[in-house]
PDB file of all heavy atoms in Angstrom:
ATOM      1  N   GLN X   1      34.131  75.358 123.075  1.00  0.00           N
ATOM      2  CA  GLN X   1      33.104  74.748 123.917  1.00  0.00           C
ATOM      3  C   GLN X   1      31.961  74.332 123.008  1.00  0.00           C
ATOM      4  O   GLN X   1      31.394  75.158 122.285  1.00  0.00           O
ATOM      5  CB  GLN X   1      32.596  75.739 124.957  1.00  0.00           C
ATOM      6  CG  GLN X   1      31.565  75.147 125.885  1.00  0.00           C
ATOM      7  CD  GLN X   1      31.201  76.080 127.032  1.00  0.00           C
ATOM      8  OE1 GLN X   1      31.809  77.126 127.224  1.00  0.00           O
ATOM      9  NE2 GLN X   1      30.200  75.711 127.786  1.00  0.00           N
ATOM     10  N   GLY X   2      31.665  73.035 123.004  1.00  0.00           N
ATOM     11  CA  GLY X   2      30.590  72.559 122.152  1.00  0.00           C
ATOM     12  C   GLY X   2      30.634  71.067 121.934  1.00  0.00           C
ATOM     13  O   GLY X   2      31.136  70.318 122.770  1.00  0.00           O
ATOM     14  N   GLN X   3      30.138  70.666 120.778  1.00  0.00           N
ATOM     15  CA  GLN X   3      29.998  69.253 120.464  1.00  0.00           C
ATOM     16  C   GLN X   3      31.243  68.704 119.763  1.00  0.00           C
ATOM     17  O   GLN X   3      31.874  69.402 118.954  1.00  0.00           O
ATOM     18  CB  GLN X   3      28.774  69.034 119.585  1.00  0.00           C
ATOM     19  CG  GLN X   3      27.482  69.424 120.291  1.00  0.00           C
ATOM     20  CD  GLN X   3      26.270  69.362 119.382  1.00  0.00           C
ATOM     21  OE1 GLN X   3      26.285  69.868 118.270  1.00  0.00           O
ATOM     22  NE2 GLN X   3      25.209  68.730 119.878  1.00  0.00           N
ATOM     23  N   PHE X   4      31.545  67.452 120.088  1.00  0.00           N
ATOM     24  CA  PHE X   4      32.658  66.729 119.473  1.00  0.00           C
ATOM     25  C   PHE X   4      32.135  65.411 118.908  1.00  0.00           C
ATOM     26  O   PHE X   4      31.240  64.788 119.488  1.00  0.00           O
ATOM     27  CB  PHE X   4      33.722  66.354 120.510  1.00  0.00           C
ATOM     28  CG  PHE X   4      34.457  67.508 121.105  1.00  0.00           C
ATOM     29  CD1 PHE X   4      33.979  68.162 122.224  1.00  0.00           C
ATOM     30  CD2 PHE X   4      35.666  67.928 120.558  1.00  0.00           C
ATOM     31  CE1 PHE X   4      34.676  69.215 122.794  1.00  0.00           C
ATOM     32  CE2 PHE X   4      36.370  68.984 121.115  1.00  0.00           C
ATOM     33  CZ  PHE X   4      35.874  69.622 122.239  1.00  0.00           C
ATOM     34  N   VAL X   5      32.708  64.980 117.796  1.00  0.00           N
ATOM     35  CA  VAL X   5      32.491  63.646 117.252  1.00  0.00           C
ATOM     36  C   VAL X   5      33.851  63.115 116.830  1.00  0.00           C
ATOM     37  O   VAL X   5      34.546  63.745 116.019  1.00  0.00           O
ATOM     38  CB  VAL X   5      31.510  63.656 116.055  1.00  0.00           C
ATOM     39  CG1 VAL X   5      31.431  62.287 115.398  1.00  0.00           C
ATOM     40  CG2 VAL X   5      30.114  64.093 116.509  1.00  0.00           C
ATOM     41  N   LYS X   6      34.236  61.996 117.387  1.00  0.00           N
ATOM     42  CA  LYS X   6      35.511  61.349 117.064  1.00  0.00           C
ATOM     43  C   LYS X   6      36.677  62.331 117.125  1.00  0.00           C
ATOM     44  O   LYS X   6      37.451  62.465 116.186  1.00  0.00           O
ATOM     45  CB  LYS X   6      35.441  60.668 115.705  1.00  0.00           C
ATOM     46  CG  LYS X   6      34.444  59.534 115.667  1.00  0.00           C
ATOM     47  CD  LYS X   6      34.433  58.847 114.323  1.00  0.00           C
ATOM     48  CE  LYS X   6      33.397  57.737 114.320  1.00  0.00           C
ATOM     49  NZ  LYS X   6      33.290  57.116 113.003  1.00  0.00           N
ATOM     50  N   ASP X   7      36.780  63.067 118.218  1.00  0.00           N
ATOM     51  CA  ASP X   7      37.889  63.995 118.488  1.00  0.00           C
ATOM     52  C   ASP X   7      37.882  65.273 117.648  1.00  0.00           C
ATOM     53  O   ASP X   7      38.858  66.012 117.650  1.00  0.00           O
ATOM     54  CB  ASP X   7      39.243  63.299 118.309  1.00  0.00           C
ATOM     55  CG  ASP X   7      39.893  62.962 119.631  1.00  0.00           C
ATOM     56  OD1 ASP X   7      39.307  63.266 120.680  1.00  0.00           O
ATOM     57  OD2 ASP X   7      40.993  62.414 119.615  1.00  0.00           O
ATOM     58  N   GLN X   8      36.813  65.544 116.911  1.00  0.00           N
ATOM     59  CA  GLN X   8      36.756  66.760 116.088  1.00  0.00           C
ATOM     60  C   GLN X   8      35.563  67.609 116.505  1.00  0.00           C
ATOM     61  O   GLN X   8      34.550  67.092 116.963  1.00  0.00           O
ATOM     62  CB  GLN X   8      36.650  66.406 114.611  1.00  0.00           C
ATOM     63  CG  GLN X   8      37.879  65.721 114.081  1.00  0.00           C
ATOM     64  CD  GLN X   8      37.838  65.583 112.569  1.00  0.00           C
ATOM     65  OE1 GLN X   8      36.863  65.953 111.909  1.00  0.00           O
ATOM     66  NE2 GLN X   8      38.889  65.056 111.997  1.00  0.00           N
ATOM     67  N   PHE X   9      35.694  68.933 116.307  1.00  0.00           N
ATOM     68  CA  PHE X   9      34.559  69.831 116.524  1.00  0.00           C
ATOM     69  C   PHE X   9      33.503  69.424 115.494  1.00  0.00           C
ATOM     70  O   PHE X   9      33.786  69.378 114.294  1.00  0.00           O
ATOM     71  CB  PHE X   9      34.930  71.289 116.284  1.00  0.00           C
ATOM     72  CG  PHE X   9      36.162  71.777 117.005  1.00  0.00           C
ATOM     73  CD1 PHE X   9      36.864  72.860 116.516  1.00  0.00           C
ATOM     74  CD2 PHE X   9      36.615  71.184 118.160  1.00  0.00           C
ATOM     75  CE1 PHE X   9      37.986  73.344 117.157  1.00  0.00           C
ATOM     76  CE2 PHE X   9      37.740  71.654 118.823  1.00  0.00           C
ATOM     77  CZ  PHE X   9      38.428  72.738 118.307  1.00  0.00           C
ATOM     78  N   HIS X  10      32.303  69.128 115.961  1.00  0.00           N
ATOM     79  CA  HIS X  10      31.271  68.674 115.033  1.00  0.00           C
ATOM     80  C   HIS X  10      29.909  68.918 115.678  1.00  0.00           C
ATOM     81  O   HIS X  10      29.600  68.346 116.715  1.00  0.00           O
ATOM     82  CB  HIS X  10      31.456  67.183 114.728  1.00  0.00           C
ATOM     83  CG  HIS X  10      30.688  66.722 113.524  1.00  0.00           C
ATOM     84  ND1 HIS X  10      31.238  66.719 112.273  1.00  0.00           N
ATOM     85  CD2 HIS X  10      29.432  66.261 113.413  1.00  0.00           C
ATOM     86  CE1 HIS X  10      30.347  66.256 111.413  1.00  0.00           C
ATOM     87  NE2 HIS X  10      29.237  65.976 112.087  1.00  0.00           N
ATOM     88  N   GLY X  11      29.120  69.804 115.084  1.00  0.00           N
ATOM     89  CA  GLY X  11      27.830  70.199 115.644  1.00  0.00           C
ATOM     90  C   GLY X  11      27.898  71.649 116.086  1.00  0.00           C
ATOM     91  O   GLY X  11      28.665  72.443 115.539  1.00  0.00           O
ATOM     92  N   LYS X  12      27.109  72.010 117.066  1.00  0.00           N
ATOM     93  CA  LYS X  12      27.085  73.387 117.564  1.00  0.00           C
ATOM     94  C   LYS X  12      28.254  73.624 118.507  1.00  0.00           C
ATOM     95  O   LYS X  12      28.563  72.790 119.349  1.00  0.00           O
ATOM     96  CB  LYS X  12      25.778  73.665 118.307  1.00  0.00           C
ATOM     97  CG  LYS X  12      24.555  73.617 117.439  1.00  0.00           C
ATOM     98  CD  LYS X  12      23.316  73.885 118.254  1.00  0.00           C
ATOM     99  CE  LYS X  12      22.071  73.770 117.386  1.00  0.00           C
ATOM    100  NZ  LYS X  12      20.852  73.969 118.183  1.00  0.00           N
ATOM    101  N   GLY X  13      28.893  74.795 118.340  1.00  0.00           N
ATOM    102  CA  GLY X  13      29.996  75.115 119.227  1.00  0.00           C
ATOM    103  C   GLY X  13      30.418  76.568 119.150  1.00  0.00           C
ATOM    104  O   GLY X  13      30.079  77.282 118.208  1.00  0.00           O
ATOM    105  N   THR X  14      31.166  76.976 120.158  1.00  0.00           N
ATOM    106  CA  THR X  14      31.710  78.333 120.239  1.00  0.00           C
ATOM    107  C   THR X  14      33.218  78.243 120.420  1.00  0.00           C
ATOM    108  O   THR X  14      33.704  77.511 121.277  1.00  0.00           O
ATOM    109  CB  THR X  14      31.094  79.102 121.415  1.00  0.00           C
ATOM    110  OG1 THR X  14      29.683  79.191 121.211  1.00  0.00           O
ATOM    111  CG2 THR X  14      31.680  80.506 121.531  1.00  0.00           C
ATOM    112  N   TYR X  15      33.928  78.998 119.583  1.00  0.00           N
ATOM    113  CA  TYR X  15      35.395  79.038 119.666  1.00  0.00           C
ATOM    114  C   TYR X  15      35.795  80.450 120.044  1.00  0.00           C
ATOM    115  O   TYR X  15      35.511  81.407 119.321  1.00  0.00           O
ATOM    116  CB  TYR X  15      36.005  78.662 118.312  1.00  0.00           C
ATOM    117  CG  TYR X  15      37.469  78.310 118.398  1.00  0.00           C
ATOM    118  CD1 TYR X  15      37.881  76.990 118.357  1.00  0.00           C
ATOM    119  CD2 TYR X  15      38.444  79.296 118.511  1.00  0.00           C
ATOM    120  CE1 TYR X  15      39.230  76.646 118.420  1.00  0.00           C
ATOM    121  CE2 TYR X  15      39.782  78.978 118.590  1.00  0.00           C
ATOM    122  CZ  TYR X  15      40.169  77.646 118.535  1.00  0.00           C
ATOM    123  OH  TYR X  15      41.506  77.311 118.602  1.00  0.00           O
ATOM    124  N   ASN X  16      36.415  80.581 121.217  1.00  0.00           N
ATOM    125  CA  ASN X  16      36.921  81.868 121.693  1.00  0.00           C
ATOM    126  C   ASN X  16      38.417  81.923 121.398  1.00  0.00           C
ATOM    127  O   ASN X  16      39.183  81.135 121.967  1.00  0.00           O
ATOM    128  CB  ASN X  16      36.685  82.012 123.193  1.00  0.00           C
ATOM    129  CG  ASN X  16      35.230  82.161 123.523  1.00  0.00           C
ATOM    130  OD1 ASN X  16      34.674  83.228 123.416  1.00  0.00           O
ATOM    131  ND2 ASN X  16      34.595  81.069 123.920  1.00  0.00           N
ATOM    132  N   TYR X  17      38.811  82.819 120.512  1.00  0.00           N
ATOM    133  CA  TYR X  17      40.220  82.991 120.173  1.00  0.00           C
ATOM    134  C   TYR X  17      40.908  83.855 121.225  1.00  0.00           C
ATOM    135  O   TYR X  17      40.293  84.763 121.792  1.00  0.00           O
ATOM    136  CB  TYR X  17      40.351  83.649 118.796  1.00  0.00           C
ATOM    137  CG  TYR X  17      39.808  82.787 117.678  1.00  0.00           C
ATOM    138  CD1 TYR X  17      38.467  82.854 117.315  1.00  0.00           C
ATOM    139  CD2 TYR X  17      40.632  81.906 116.994  1.00  0.00           C
ATOM    140  CE1 TYR X  17      37.965  82.061 116.289  1.00  0.00           C
ATOM    141  CE2 TYR X  17      40.144  81.114 115.955  1.00  0.00           C
ATOM    142  CZ  TYR X  17      38.812  81.201 115.616  1.00  0.00           C
ATOM    143  OH  TYR X  17      38.313  80.407 114.609  1.00  0.00           O
ATOM    144  N   ALA X  18      42.157  83.595 121.458  1.00  0.00           N
ATOM    145  CA  ALA X  18      42.927  84.347 122.449  1.00  0.00           C
ATOM    146  C   ALA X  18      42.966  85.843 122.128  1.00  0.00           C
ATOM    147  O   ALA X  18      43.087  86.667 123.030  1.00  0.00           O
ATOM    148  CB  ALA X  18      44.347  83.789 122.548  1.00  0.00           C
ATOM    149  N   ASN X  19      42.836  86.203 120.850  1.00  0.00           N
ATOM    150  CA  ASN X  19      42.890  87.617 120.456  1.00  0.00           C
ATOM    151  C   ASN X  19      41.580  88.358 120.705  1.00  0.00           C
ATOM    152  O   ASN X  19      41.479  89.549 120.447  1.00  0.00           O
ATOM    153  CB  ASN X  19      43.293  87.755 118.992  1.00  0.00           C
ATOM    154  CG  ASN X  19      42.225  87.290 118.019  1.00  0.00           C
ATOM    155  OD1 ASN X  19      41.178  86.789 118.416  1.00  0.00           O
ATOM    156  ND2 ASN X  19      42.483  87.435 116.737  1.00  0.00           N
ATOM    157  N   GLY X  20      40.542  87.639 121.195  1.00  0.00           N
ATOM    158  CA  GLY X  20      39.270  88.280 121.491  1.00  0.00           C
ATOM    159  C   GLY X  20      38.171  87.981 120.486  1.00  0.00           C
ATOM    160  O   GLY X  20      37.001  88.284 120.734  1.00  0.00           O
ATOM    161  N   ASP X  21      38.495  87.396 119.336  1.00  0.00           N
ATOM    162  CA  ASP X  21      37.482  87.000 118.355  1.00  0.00           C
ATOM    163  C   ASP X  21      36.676  85.831 118.915  1.00  0.00           C
ATOM    164  O   ASP X  21      37.200  85.007 119.668  1.00  0.00           O
ATOM    165  CB  ASP X  21      38.112  86.556 117.039  1.00  0.00           C
ATOM    166  CG  ASP X  21      38.830  87.671 116.286  1.00  0.00           C
ATOM    167  OD1 ASP X  21      38.732  88.840 116.700  1.00  0.00           O
ATOM    168  OD2 ASP X  21      39.489  87.357 115.276  1.00  0.00           O
ATOM    169  N   VAL X  22      35.387  85.750 118.514  1.00  0.00           N
ATOM    170  CA  VAL X  22      34.532  84.645 118.945  1.00  0.00           C
ATOM    171  C   VAL X  22      33.714  84.162 117.761  1.00  0.00           C
ATOM    172  O   VAL X  22      33.022  84.951 117.109  1.00  0.00           O
ATOM    173  CB  VAL X  22      33.562  85.074 120.078  1.00  0.00           C
ATOM    174  CG1 VAL X  22      32.653  83.922 120.477  1.00  0.00           C
ATOM    175  CG2 VAL X  22      34.321  85.604 121.271  1.00  0.00           C
ATOM    176  N   PHE X  23      33.789  82.862 117.468  1.00  0.00           N
ATOM    177  CA  PHE X  23      32.938  82.256 116.439  1.00  0.00           C
ATOM    178  C   PHE X  23      31.938  81.343 117.126  1.00  0.00           C
ATOM    179  O   PHE X  23      32.304  80.474 117.923  1.00  0.00           O
ATOM    180  CB  PHE X  23      33.740  81.430 115.430  1.00  0.00           C
ATOM    181  CG  PHE X  23      32.847  80.707 114.447  1.00  0.00           C
ATOM    182  CD1 PHE X  23      32.322  81.380 113.368  1.00  0.00           C
ATOM    183  CD2 PHE X  23      32.497  79.383 114.637  1.00  0.00           C
ATOM    184  CE1 PHE X  23      31.468  80.737 112.475  1.00  0.00           C
ATOM    185  CE2 PHE X  23      31.650  78.728 113.760  1.00  0.00           C
ATOM    186  CZ  PHE X  23      31.135  79.407 112.670  1.00  0.00           C
ATOM    187  N   THR X  24      30.662  81.536 116.804  1.00  0.00           N
ATOM    188  CA  THR X  24      29.595  80.675 117.308  1.00  0.00           C
ATOM    189  C   THR X  24      28.825  80.155 116.111  1.00  0.00           C
ATOM    190  O   THR X  24      28.380  80.942 115.271  1.00  0.00           O
ATOM    191  CB  THR X  24      28.637  81.449 118.231  1.00  0.00           C
ATOM    192  OG1 THR X  24      29.386  81.989 119.314  1.00  0.00           O
ATOM    193  CG2 THR X  24      27.539  80.556 118.772  1.00  0.00           C
ATOM    194  N   GLY X  25      28.701  78.833 116.020  1.00  0.00           N
ATOM    195  CA  GLY X  25      27.978  78.281 114.893  1.00  0.00           C
ATOM    196  C   GLY X  25      28.144  76.782 114.765  1.00  0.00           C
ATOM    197  O   GLY X  25      28.406  76.077 115.740  1.00  0.00           O
ATOM    198  N   ILE X  26      28.008  76.332 113.535  1.00  0.00           N
ATOM    199  CA  ILE X  26      28.029  74.904 113.221  1.00  0.00           C
ATOM    200  C   ILE X  26      29.413  74.501 112.725  1.00  0.00           C
ATOM    201  O   ILE X  26      30.039  75.207 111.926  1.00  0.00           O
ATOM    202  CB  ILE X  26      26.975  74.576 112.146  1.00  0.00           C
ATOM    203  CG1 ILE X  26      25.592  75.048 112.583  1.00  0.00           C
ATOM    204  CG2 ILE X  26      26.968  73.087 111.826  1.00  0.00           C
ATOM    205  CD1 ILE X  26      25.074  74.416 113.857  1.00  0.00           C
ATOM    206  N   TRP X  27      29.859  73.357 113.208  1.00  0.00           N
ATOM    207  CA  TRP X  27      31.155  72.786 112.842  1.00  0.00           C
ATOM    208  C   TRP X  27      30.932  71.431 112.199  1.00  0.00           C
ATOM    209  O   TRP X  27      29.993  70.708 112.546  1.00  0.00           O
ATOM    210  CB  TRP X  27      32.022  72.600 114.082  1.00  0.00           C
ATOM    211  CG  TRP X  27      32.339  73.879 114.778  1.00  0.00           C
ATOM    212  CD1 TRP X  27      31.526  74.568 115.625  1.00  0.00           C
ATOM    213  CD2 TRP X  27      33.540  74.631 114.677  1.00  0.00           C
ATOM    214  NE1 TRP X  27      32.162  75.706 116.065  1.00  0.00           N
ATOM    215  CE2 TRP X  27      33.409  75.765 115.501  1.00  0.00           C
ATOM    216  CE3 TRP X  27      34.732  74.446 113.983  1.00  0.00           C
ATOM    217  CZ2 TRP X  27      34.408  76.713 115.648  1.00  0.00           C
ATOM    218  CZ3 TRP X  27      35.729  75.385 114.132  1.00  0.00           C
ATOM    219  CH2 TRP X  27      35.568  76.508 114.946  1.00  0.00           C
ATOM    220  N   LYS X  28      31.796  71.079 111.260  1.00  0.00           N
ATOM    221  CA  LYS X  28      31.739  69.762 110.624  1.00  0.00           C
ATOM    222  C   LYS X  28      33.161  69.282 110.410  1.00  0.00           C
ATOM    223  O   LYS X  28      33.958  69.967 109.761  1.00  0.00           O
ATOM    224  CB  LYS X  28      31.001  69.845 109.286  1.00  0.00           C
ATOM    225  CG  LYS X  28      30.851  68.510 108.596  1.00  0.00           C
ATOM    226  CD  LYS X  28      30.054  68.666 107.306  1.00  0.00           C
ATOM    227  CE  LYS X  28      29.934  67.326 106.599  1.00  0.00           C
ATOM    228  NZ  LYS X  28      29.252  67.502 105.309  1.00  0.00           N
ATOM    229  N   ASN X  29      33.490  68.140 110.974  1.00  0.00           N
ATOM    230  CA  ASN X  29      34.818  67.541 110.825  1.00  0.00           C
ATOM    231  C   ASN X  29      35.945  68.518 111.180  1.00  0.00           C
ATOM    232  O   ASN X  29      36.964  68.585 110.503  1.00  0.00           O
ATOM    233  CB  ASN X  29      35.006  66.997 109.414  1.00  0.00           C
ATOM    234  CG  ASN X  29      34.002  65.919 109.091  1.00  0.00           C
ATOM    235  OD1 ASN X  29      33.668  65.100 109.933  1.00  0.00           O
ATOM    236  ND2 ASN X  29      33.481  65.921 107.875  1.00  0.00           N
ATOM    237  N   GLY X  30      35.737  69.310 112.229  1.00  0.00           N
ATOM    238  CA  GLY X  30      36.772  70.205 112.712  1.00  0.00           C
ATOM    239  C   GLY X  30      36.838  71.565 112.042  1.00  0.00           C
ATOM    240  O   GLY X  30      37.721  72.366 112.348  1.00  0.00           O
ATOM    241  N   HIS X  31      35.897  71.855 111.128  1.00  0.00           N
ATOM    242  CA  HIS X  31      35.901  73.134 110.400  1.00  0.00           C
ATOM    243  C   HIS X  31      34.568  73.846 110.562  1.00  0.00           C
ATOM    244  O   HIS X  31      33.527  73.207 110.695  1.00  0.00           O
ATOM    245  CB  HIS X  31      36.138  72.906 108.896  1.00  0.00           C
ATOM    246  CG  HIS X  31      37.440  72.256 108.592  1.00  0.00           C
ATOM    247  ND1 HIS X  31      38.621  72.954 108.534  1.00  0.00           N
ATOM    248  CD2 HIS X  31      37.753  70.967 108.338  1.00  0.00           C
ATOM    249  CE1 HIS X  31      39.606  72.130 108.241  1.00  0.00           C
ATOM    250  NE2 HIS X  31      39.108  70.905 108.132  1.00  0.00           N
ATOM    251  N   LYS X  32      34.605  75.179 110.499  1.00  0.00           N
ATOM    252  CA  LYS X  32      33.361  75.959 110.471  1.00  0.00           C
ATOM    253  C   LYS X  32      32.629  75.533 109.202  1.00  0.00           C
ATOM    254  O   LYS X  32      33.200  75.566 108.111  1.00  0.00           O
ATOM    255  CB  LYS X  32      33.653  77.452 110.417  1.00  0.00           C
ATOM    256  CG  LYS X  32      34.412  77.985 111.599  1.00  0.00           C
ATOM    257  CD  LYS X  32      34.716  79.470 111.375  1.00  0.00           C
ATOM    258  CE  LYS X  32      35.819  79.949 112.240  1.00  0.00           C
ATOM    259  NZ  LYS X  32      37.153  79.709 111.672  1.00  0.00           N
ATOM    260  N   ASN X  33      31.373  75.131 109.339  1.00  0.00           N
ATOM    261  CA  ASN X  33      30.667  74.631 108.167  1.00  0.00           C
ATOM    262  C   ASN X  33      29.169  74.698 108.421  1.00  0.00           C
ATOM    263  O   ASN X  33      28.611  73.829 109.071  1.00  0.00           O
ATOM    264  CB  ASN X  33      31.100  73.189 107.868  1.00  0.00           C
ATOM    265  CG  ASN X  33      30.873  72.805 106.439  1.00  0.00           C
ATOM    266  OD1 ASN X  33      29.826  73.078 105.882  1.00  0.00           O
ATOM    267  ND2 ASN X  33      31.853  72.181 105.844  1.00  0.00           N
ATOM    268  N   GLY X  34      28.531  75.746 107.932  1.00  0.00           N
ATOM    269  CA  GLY X  34      27.104  75.971 108.151  1.00  0.00           C
ATOM    270  C   GLY X  34      26.884  77.364 108.680  1.00  0.00           C
ATOM    271  O   GLY X  34      27.742  78.238 108.574  1.00  0.00           O
ATOM    272  N   LYS X  35      25.712  77.591 109.245  1.00  0.00           N
ATOM    273  CA  LYS X  35      25.389  78.919 109.762  1.00  0.00           C
ATOM    274  C   LYS X  35      26.276  79.257 110.951  1.00  0.00           C
ATOM    275  O   LYS X  35      26.518  78.423 111.814  1.00  0.00           O
ATOM    276  CB  LYS X  35      23.932  78.985 110.179  1.00  0.00           C
ATOM    277  CG  LYS X  35      22.981  78.931 109.010  1.00  0.00           C
ATOM    278  CD  LYS X  35      21.562  79.094 109.449  1.00  0.00           C
ATOM    279  CE  LYS X  35      20.667  79.037 108.215  1.00  0.00           C
ATOM    280  NZ  LYS X  35      19.261  79.246 108.548  1.00  0.00           N
ATOM    281  N   GLY X  36      26.752  80.506 110.935  1.00  0.00           N
ATOM    282  CA  GLY X  36      27.601  80.925 112.033  1.00  0.00           C
ATOM    283  C   GLY X  36      27.758  82.427 112.115  1.00  0.00           C
ATOM    284  O   GLY X  36      27.346  83.169 111.221  1.00  0.00           O
ATOM    285  N   LYS X  37      28.384  82.846 113.217  1.00  0.00           N
ATOM    286  CA  LYS X  37      28.588  84.273 113.486  1.00  0.00           C
ATOM    287  C   LYS X  37      30.006  84.442 114.010  1.00  0.00           C
ATOM    288  O   LYS X  37      30.408  83.777 114.963  1.00  0.00           O
ATOM    289  CB  LYS X  37      27.564  84.723 114.521  1.00  0.00           C
ATOM    290  CG  LYS X  37      27.777  86.107 115.079  1.00  0.00           C
ATOM    291  CD  LYS X  37      26.672  86.511 116.035  1.00  0.00           C
ATOM    292  CE  LYS X  37      26.742  85.746 117.318  1.00  0.00           C
ATOM    293  NZ  LYS X  37      25.819  86.257 118.357  1.00  0.00           N
ATOM    294  N   LEU X  38      30.756  85.340 113.382  1.00  0.00           N
ATOM    295  CA  LEU X  38      32.096  85.683 113.854  1.00  0.00           C
ATOM    296  C   LEU X  38      32.083  87.124 114.321  1.00  0.00           C
ATOM    297  O   LEU X  38      31.800  88.037 113.550  1.00  0.00           O
ATOM    298  CB  LEU X  38      33.138  85.506 112.747  1.00  0.00           C
ATOM    299  CG  LEU X  38      34.566  85.905 113.127  1.00  0.00           C
ATOM    300  CD1 LEU X  38      35.121  84.974 114.211  1.00  0.00           C
ATOM    301  CD2 LEU X  38      35.465  85.888 111.910  1.00  0.00           C
ATOM    302  N   GLU X  39      32.355  87.303 115.610  1.00  0.00           N
ATOM    303  CA  GLU X  39      32.478  88.631 116.200  1.00  0.00           C
ATOM    304  C   GLU X  39      33.955  88.851 116.487  1.00  0.00           C
ATOM    305  O   GLU X  39      34.576  88.068 117.205  1.00  0.00           O
ATOM    306  CB  GLU X  39      31.691  88.723 117.499  1.00  0.00           C
ATOM    307  CG  GLU X  39      30.211  88.504 117.322  1.00  0.00           C
ATOM    308  CD  GLU X  39      29.477  88.518 118.652  1.00  0.00           C
ATOM    309  OE1 GLU X  39      29.301  89.618 119.221  1.00  0.00           O
ATOM    310  OE2 GLU X  39      29.108  87.426 119.116  1.00  0.00           O
ATOM    311  N   THR X  40      34.522  89.909 115.907  1.00  0.00           N
ATOM    312  CA  THR X  40      35.942  90.160 116.096  1.00  0.00           C
ATOM    313  C   THR X  40      36.176  91.092 117.277  1.00  0.00           C
ATOM    314  O   THR X  40      35.272  91.800 117.721  1.00  0.00           O
ATOM    315  CB  THR X  40      36.587  90.752 114.828  1.00  0.00           C
ATOM    316  OG1 THR X  40      35.987  92.013 114.551  1.00  0.00           O
ATOM    317  CG2 THR X  40      36.410  89.812 113.642  1.00  0.00           C
ATOM    318  N   TYR X  41      37.399  91.086 117.760  1.00  0.00           N
ATOM    319  CA  TYR X  41      37.770  91.894 118.925  1.00  0.00           C
ATOM    320  C   TYR X  41      37.494  93.373 118.715  1.00  0.00           C
ATOM    321  O   TYR X  41      37.249  94.108 119.653  1.00  0.00           O
ATOM    322  CB  TYR X  41      39.244  91.680 119.263  1.00  0.00           C
ATOM    323  CG  TYR X  41      40.193  92.298 118.264  1.00  0.00           C
ATOM    324  CD1 TYR X  41      40.676  93.575 118.453  1.00  0.00           C
ATOM    325  CD2 TYR X  41      40.561  91.612 117.109  1.00  0.00           C
ATOM    326  CE1 TYR X  41      41.522  94.162 117.528  1.00  0.00           C
ATOM    327  CE2 TYR X  41      41.402  92.185 116.189  1.00  0.00           C
ATOM    328  CZ  TYR X  41      41.878  93.460 116.395  1.00  0.00           C
ATOM    329  OH  TYR X  41      42.706  94.035 115.470  1.00  0.00           O
ATOM    330  N   ASP X  42      37.497  93.827 117.448  1.00  0.00           N
ATOM    331  CA  ASP X  42      37.276  95.253 117.171  1.00  0.00           C
ATOM    332  C   ASP X  42      35.804  95.596 116.941  1.00  0.00           C
ATOM    333  O   ASP X  42      35.470  96.721 116.605  1.00  0.00           O
ATOM    334  CB  ASP X  42      38.125  95.709 115.985  1.00  0.00           C
ATOM    335  CG  ASP X  42      37.750  95.043 114.673  1.00  0.00           C
ATOM    336  OD1 ASP X  42      36.800  94.234 114.645  1.00  0.00           O
ATOM    337  OD2 ASP X  42      38.424  95.314 113.669  1.00  0.00           O
ATOM    338  N   GLY X  43      34.915  94.604 117.113  1.00  0.00           N
ATOM    339  CA  GLY X  43      33.483  94.864 117.023  1.00  0.00           C
ATOM    340  C   GLY X  43      32.841  94.548 115.690  1.00  0.00           C
ATOM    341  O   GLY X  43      31.626  94.665 115.559  1.00  0.00           O
TER     342      GLY X  43
END
C-alpha cells in the first residue's frame, strides 16, 4: 500500500508480507531504497 510510478513501488509505502513481516519506508524503482523500518513476525 503506497505510491506507484510507472507500475513500480516508488515513494512512501508499506509492504505487508504474508509471513507477518512489515516494511514501511521509501521505495525507488520497485526496491526498498532510503529510510525504512522492517518489523519481523518475531518482533
Side-chain angles (χ1 to χ4, degrees):
Q1 182 172 353
Q3 297 174 312
F4 293 88
V5 173
K6 296 182 181 176
D7 256 0
Q8 294 189 357
F9 309 156
H10 195 92
K12 295 179 183 177
T14 299
Y15 196 103
N16 291 279
Y17 296 88
N19 70 356
D21 294 352
V22 178
F23 175 80
T24 302
I26 305 299
W27 298 80
K28 182 177 179 184
N29 299 321
H31 299 279
K32 298 176 199 85
N33 203 315
K35 291 184 180 182
K37 170 177 71 171
L38 177 66
E39 298 176 74
T40 63
Y41 71 92
D42 65 2

